[in-house]
Amino acid sequence: MIDVAAVGELIVDFCFVGKNDQGYPLLEASPGGAPANLLAAFCTYGGTGAMIGKVGEDPFGHQMIRTLFQRGVQVEAIRIDPSVYTTLSFVTLDETGNRSFSFARKPGADACLNWQEVDRQTLDMARMVHFGSFSLTKEPCRTAVRNAISYAKTKGKWISFDPNIRLSLWPDAQTARQEIFWGLEQADVVKISEEEVDFLWHLSPEEGAERIISQYGAQLVFVTMGKNGCVGRSTLASVQVPSPSGIHTVDTVGAGDIFYGSALAYLFRQDISWPVGKETLQKMLRFACTAASLSTQSHGGIPSIVSLDEIIKLQNEVPTTKSK
């Protein structure tokens, strides 16, 4: 058995790291994609996970697989397709480290994953199956992911969902909303940003978390608020946890994914059962906010994941490991 199987995009992010003397941006390649970032953090902090997705038969694809393997992620269910290139993302940053994305994805290997290529055995082995809305933007990956989630639900798996809205990939905002609402209807656990809550319903983070619990039936919801921390909501409790102070942010790429992977790692390390109480929720979010905040001090997604010791040093609290 494994804790989490993630199905979705594997992307190489080209992150802005400065300008040359003619004013052109300097970019640094970094392995990423939201599900991959999540799994890398999850496995770094003690979870067991496997990635289901597709890369091209190119140096970026092979490097992506090596990077995940080095982080402890099982990579046997990643398909390599010689007919397409690994999907690329170009990330530009403003002076506060916030980012905007453009994608080389016409079509991009991630979008070409089909249902026949999804490894059912990996889904069978997982306690939880994770997905995001990125893979719902194109066919055949949309059908592959929808079928994977439907299959997982019939097997009694927990379902995790991250809306992760990239509006430039959708034909229009209403289509994006419809697909995201479908994702919310499947999920037991949801991570969503305050900007995404506003996009969907024009609600506050607290109101958005309550809606996902009461209307969509999730058991656990995290609404991230950047430097302001996170709102967490379970069927039993609601809390807000601030981000740690004194963090010098240079790049927020992957921070939300690292937050989510860290929160799930805490959930599985403690072997927490439903419903999640207030004290446990506070500790989980404190751990996740610390991991995410520390990751913003360097560039990229997966490369910015810090060690467990660094989190403990800042947090001054060792998360309890589950008994074996």
Side-chain angles (χ1 to χ4, degrees):
M1 293 293 291
I2 56 174
D3 294 325
V4 176
V7 56
E9 68 273 17
L10 293 152
I11 298 175
V12 174
D13 295 320
F14 283 82
C15 299
F16 176 82
V17 294
K19 294 182 179 180
N20 65 15
D21 55 8
Q22 295 180 326
Y24 287 96
L26 299 174
L27 301 174
E28 180 177 272
S30 173
N37 292 336
L38 179 150
L39 279 181
F42 182 74
C43 292
T44 296
Y45 303 133
T48 56
M51 184 71 207
I52 302 171
K54 181 182 277 193
V55 297
E57 177 65 82
D58 51 51
F60 288 131
H62 288 287
Q63 182 63 40
M64 171 68 71
I65 292 172
R66 285 195 296 270
T67 298
L68 289 176
F69 179 77
Q70 289 164 358
R71 286 283 178 172
V73 179
Q74 296 181 26
V75 297
E76 291 79 8
I78 298 175
R79 307 300 181 183
I80 301 175
D81 189 340
S83 69
V84 288
Y85 290 108
T86 301
T87 304
L88 307 179
S89 167
F90 298 90
V91 188
T92 55
L93 304 171
D94 63 21
E95 61 277 4
T96 66
N98 289 313
R99 68 273 193 271
S100 60
F101 295 83
S102 59
F103 297 93
R105 194 187 184 222
K106 297 180 179 180
D110 83 283
C112 296
L113 181 73
N114 62 64
W115 171 231
Q116 290 70 34
E117 295 172 313
V118 173
D119 185 63
R120 307 327 190 254
Q121 185 176 4
T122 299
L123 297 175
D124 289 339
M125 291 191 304
R127 297 172 63 189
M128 174 182 283
V129 177
H130 170 78
F131 74 111
S133 70
F134 193 101
S135 291
L136 301 177
T137 59
K138 285 183 178 288
E139 292 290 0
C141 61
R142 178 190 298 119
T143 295
V145 170
R146 278 178 166 260
N147 287 348
I149 297 307
S150 297
Y151 177 87
K153 287 176 75 70
T154 66
K155 298 290 185 175
K157 311 297 182 181
W158 296 344
I159 304 299
S160 162
F161 178 59
D162 178 3
N164 195 30
I165 297 171
R166 299 285 179 261
L167 281 178
S168 64
L169 297 175
W170 296 93
D172 53 69
Q174 185 55 36
T175 302
R177 288 188 180 93
Q178 289 173 352
E179 292 293 330
I180 289 165
F181 292 151
W182 176 85
L184 292 172
E185 289 167 356
Q186 314 309 310
D188 301 294
V189 184
V190 174
K191 192 279 291 180
I192 188 170
S193 72
E194 62 179 332
E195 294 84 4
E196 290 159 349
V197 167
D198 181 67
F199 168 76
L200 293 174
W201 303 296
H202 302 297
L203 297 176
S204 69
E206 295 83 0
E207 292 168 333
E210 170 60 27
R211 175 166 292 195
I212 295 170
I213 292 283
S214 62
Q215 183 171 322
Y216 292 93
Q219 297 290 311
L220 190 59
V221 178
F222 311 118
V223 184
T224 56
M225 303 184 297
K227 64 181 181 180
N228 294 320
C230 175
V231 167
R233 181 81 164 83
S234 72
T235 57
L236 195 63
S238 179
V239 301
Q240 181 171 344
V241 173
S243 293
S245 60
I247 300 295
H248 175 62
T249 296
V250 299
D251 184 355
T252 60
V253 170
D257 310 322
I258 293 167
F259 169 92
Y260 200 8
S262 305
L264 292 180
Y266 193 97
L267 182 74
F268 279 93
R269 283 167 62 89
Q270 300 252 0
D271 203 14
I272 295 166
S273 59
W274 313 118
V276 178
K278 182 174 182 179
E279 182 179 358
T280 299
L281 190 56
Q282 285 178 323
K283 290 180 178 180
M284 185 190 310
L285 296 188
R286 186 172 175 229
F287 178 76
C289 283
T290 303
S293 295
L294 287 172
S295 77
T296 68
Q297 296 185 124
S298 57
H299 288 286
I302 294 174
S304 71
I305 298 170
V306 302
S307 70
L308 181 60
D309 287 342
E310 291 177 81
I311 297 174
I312 292 169
K313 181 179 178 181
L314 180 60
Q315 194 180 39
N316 195 29
E317 177 181 338
V318 181
T320 304
T321 58
K322 63 182 180 183
S323 58
K324 296 185 179 180

